[in-house]
């Protein structure tokens, strides 16, 4: 069972670059054909470094986390076999651009419980992550809600 006393606990601090190559991979996955995303010459001509990146770029933080995406889940004591990702919400404070280096600080923002409709107690854990750029300016806040379902 997750201890409610973890509220306020800092889970991780991760620095990672917003790389042009990763954004080109994302553009391919989204079938984006604009050469600015795929051709270095076109990207320079289009001023790619000045283009804001896709809003979900903060998901890259999981690829930089030691232990991978489940490291924070393990740190707070959620049984990964009973884990659901309830929701995610973003608040955009300033543009994130190619070449930025982001620092993500994740904290437990809240822990609550309620009875599930199928029986068992569900535990909800809110994780807030603040992303700042290389100038220490806040650029994005992300809030994830993780749910540990009741015992089967």
């Amino acid at each position: 069972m997750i201890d409610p006393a973890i509220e306020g606990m800092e889970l991780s601090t991760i620095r990672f670059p917003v790389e042009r190559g990763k954004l080109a991979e994302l553009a391919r996955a989204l079938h984006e054909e604009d050469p600015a995303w795929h051709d270095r010459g076109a990207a320079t001509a289009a001023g790619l470094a000045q283009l804001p990146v896709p809003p979900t770029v903060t998901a890259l933080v999981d690829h930089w986390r030691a232990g991978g995406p489940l490291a924070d889940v393990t740190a707070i004591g959620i049984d990964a076999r009973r884990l659901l990702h309830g929701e995610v919400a973003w608040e955009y404070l300033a543009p994130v651009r190619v070449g930025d280096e982001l620092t993500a600080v994740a904290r437990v923002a809240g822990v609550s419980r309620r009875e599930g409709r199928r029986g068992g107690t569900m535990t909800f854990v809110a994780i807030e992550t603040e992303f700042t750029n290389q100038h220490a300016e806040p650029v994005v806040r992300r809030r994830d809600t993780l749910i540990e379902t009741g015992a089967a």
Side-chain angles (χ1 to χ4, degrees):
M1 182 168 291
I2 299 165
D3 184 354
I6 65 170
E7 189 168 329
M9 175 180 154
E10 185 173 310
L11 296 172
S12 57
T13 298
I14 301 163
R15 283 186 78 138
F16 65 100
V18 179
E19 300 171 341
R20 186 183 109 28
K22 288 293 178 192
L23 296 177
E25 291 172 9
L26 178 60
R28 278 192 185 89
L30 297 174
H31 305 286
E32 173 57 63
E33 301 298 329
D34 187 330
W37 295 106
H38 306 289
D39 178 300
R40 187 175 299 274
T44 302
L48 183 58
Q50 296 306 309
L51 295 174
V53 300
T56 55
V57 74
T58 60
L60 292 174
V61 72
D62 290 329
H63 299 283
W64 291 88
R65 178 178 282 117
L70 293 179
D72 286 351
V73 169
T74 302
I76 59 179
I78 290 180
D79 180 347
R81 297 170 297 175
R82 299 184 316 168
L83 173 66
L84 297 175
H85 187 261
E87 68 180 356
V88 62
W90 290 271
E91 178 183 4
Y92 300 97
L93 308 168
V96 176
R97 303 198 184 280
V98 173
D100 281 351
E101 183 164 291
L102 300 182
T103 299
V105 179
R107 287 184 174 78
V108 177
V111 178
S112 62
R113 292 191 173 84
R114 76 171 194 228
E115 289 302 311
R117 285 183 266 190
R118 295 186 219 159
T121 302
M122 298 184 306
T123 304
F124 294 77
V125 180
I127 307 291
E128 288 187 353
T129 306
E130 176 139 335
F131 294 83
T132 56
N133 64 18
Q134 65 275 15
H135 307 293
E137 301 164 335
V139 292
V140 179
R141 285 192 193 104
R142 184 172 113 188
R143 183 177 178 100
D144 292 271
T145 301
L146 305 179
I147 304 167
E148 183 180 61
T149 60

